[in-house]
Amino acid sequence: MKKLFFLASVLLCLTSINAQTKLEYKLSVGDVFIVQQNAKQVITQEMQGMSHELTNDITGEYKMKVLEKKDGAYSIEMSFTDLNMKMTSNLQGVLMDVKAKEVKEGDIQSTMFNSILNVPVKITLASNGNITNVDGGDKLVTKMMDASGITDATTLATIKTSLGKEYGTEGLANSFKQMTYIYPNAANKVAVGDTWENEYSGKLNTKNKWTLDAQDANTTSLSCTADVVMTVKDANANMDLTGTQTTKVTANAKTGFINTMEVTGTSDGNSTIPMLGDQKIPTTITSTIIYKTIE
């Protein structure tokens, strides 16, 4: 009986070991991924009994090509192939409607964003999805500034600072981490139901708790809950918000690259507008971002 119990214990242990897996990116030089992004963000501010609702609709497409694998990390060439942004106010109507592929005469914004299409930026991607370096982001900002035709030094400085937060080297790294940084440290193996944590910072600081929900030979399914702190400081407005975020991912089990990802979040707190002094404006932001690999 003891021998049978020992044998059963050994088999159970082996089954548990076999159920564990190493989640990571397994890319090959020459791999190309085309990703579509659709985002909707609604900012609601309450001022003097009036509700101001600002809706940002952003769609984009970018190409990612694996150039090299070295020391457990991947060098990836990323370029925007399409970018569209629309901003609508419930009080003022459409404030901005930019389609980067459709340059309109006299439209500075469309000219600026058209200038960065198909311009390569190099990203260093660790096997767990952390982005450790971006080379070329500042070049995108420079191209937009050159395309703007603006000559006033003060205006250029203000715009450059704003664009740098989104499209500069650090801004791009923090932005793409949301899509890529989904796996545990390389040394850790996990089984279905296991959890791990990571975090990233920038305009949006998140502390993430990931769970491996399911896995088979073709697909890895993950979910994530996160605590979010959003801090925005610029010449027009400041925001200090906290909230939560949930993420659902299906990824290709062979490459580790996402098939689909949906990120939803809600944050609230206060914002201030420098021209209004220290007046605190109750602010809520809801957002949904969907990524889909189409090729």
Side-chain angles (χ1 to χ4, degrees):
M1 179 64 73
K2 288 183 179 180
K3 289 183 178 179
L4 289 173
F5 178 79
F6 176 75
L7 180 59
S9 298
V10 171
L11 290 173
L12 181 61
C13 181
L14 289 173
T15 300
S16 298
I17 292 173
N18 289 335
Q20 291 185 324
T21 186
K22 189 175 181 180
L23 296 180
E24 61 180 353
Y25 287 89
K26 309 178 192 70
L27 309 178
S28 299
V29 173
D31 283 351
V32 175
F33 304 94
I34 307 295
V35 180
Q36 286 182 339
Q37 175 186 343
N38 291 278
K40 183 172 185 176
Q41 179 190 65
V42 179
I43 304 171
T44 304
Q45 296 179 316
E46 303 294 336
M47 294 180 63
Q48 300 176 340
M50 184 178 296
S51 181
H52 183 202
E53 189 173 282
L54 197 66
T55 302
N56 294 313
D57 290 294
I58 302 171
T59 62
E61 184 178 287
Y62 34 89
K63 177 181 178 181
M64 306 181 80
K65 181 179 180 180
V66 181
L67 301 178
E68 181 184 20
K69 181 179 181 181
K70 185 178 181 181
D71 300 327
Y74 300 92
S75 177
I76 295 176
E77 182 182 85
M78 187 285 297
S79 58
F80 291 99
T81 54
D82 197 9
L83 191 59
N84 307 298
M85 292 173 286
K86 186 175 183 179
M87 181 186 296
T88 308
S89 164
N90 67 322
L91 302 177
Q92 300 165 289
V94 177
L95 303 177
M96 179 176 71
D97 191 2
V98 176
K99 295 178 175 63
K101 286 186 176 181
E102 300 176 14
V103 178
K104 298 176 182 177
E105 187 176 351
D107 186 341
I108 294 176
Q109 292 170 329
S110 65
T111 302
M112 290 171 64
F113 286 101
N114 176 267
S115 72
I116 67 171
L117 295 184
N118 303 306
V119 177
V121 172
K122 284 188 179 180
I123 292 174
T124 302
L125 181 78
S127 60
N128 64 354
N130 190 18
I131 293 176
T132 58
N133 188 58
V134 174
D135 183 17
D138 295 334
K139 179 174 66 176
L140 296 184
V141 175
T142 298
K143 288 186 74 67
M144 282 191 277
M145 299 307 299
D146 291 344
S148 72
I150 297 171
T151 57
D152 180 71
T154 302
T155 304
L156 281 172
T158 301
I159 295 174
K160 184 176 182 180
T161 299
S162 180
L163 290 174
K165 292 177 181 179
E166 301 291 336
Y167 299 97
T169 294
E170 187 175 349
L172 285 175
N174 292 330
S175 177
F176 278 99
K177 280 181 187 180
Q178 183 176 63
M179 186 188 78
T180 63
Y181 194 12
I182 59 177
Y183 295 130
N185 291 331
N188 297 339
K189 291 186 177 181
V190 294
V192 171
D194 284 350
T195 63
W196 62 94
E197 296 180 358
N198 64 22
E199 60 183 274
Y200 52 85
S201 59
K203 184 171 67 175
L204 189 70
N205 299 286
T206 67
K207 293 185 177 181
N208 309 292
K209 184 176 182 179
W210 291 91
T211 303
L212 175 58
D213 293 326
Q215 189 176 44
D216 58 31
N218 298 310
T219 305
T220 300
S221 298
L222 310 174
S223 61
C224 175
T225 57
D227 293 322
V228 175
V229 177
M230 181 183 292
T231 304
V232 178
K233 307 286 184 185
D234 66 35
N236 297 315
N238 302 314
M239 292 184 185
D240 289 294
L241 311 175
T242 59
T244 58
Q245 186 172 276
T246 60
T247 303
K248 288 286 187 181
V249 177
T250 63
N252 184 308
K254 296 180 176 64
T255 65
F257 206 87
I258 66 160
N259 294 325
T260 61
M261 172 184 280
E262 182 172 353
V263 185
T264 58
T266 301
S267 298
D268 54 36
N270 293 296
S271 57
T272 58
I273 300 174
M275 63 182 296
L276 297 180
D278 296 329
Q279 179 184 350
K280 292 184 178 180
I281 304 167
T283 302
T284 300
I285 297 181
T286 61
S287 63
T288 300
I289 306 173
I290 298 173
Y291 302 91
K292 184 178 181 180
T293 300
I294 60 172
E295 190 177 310

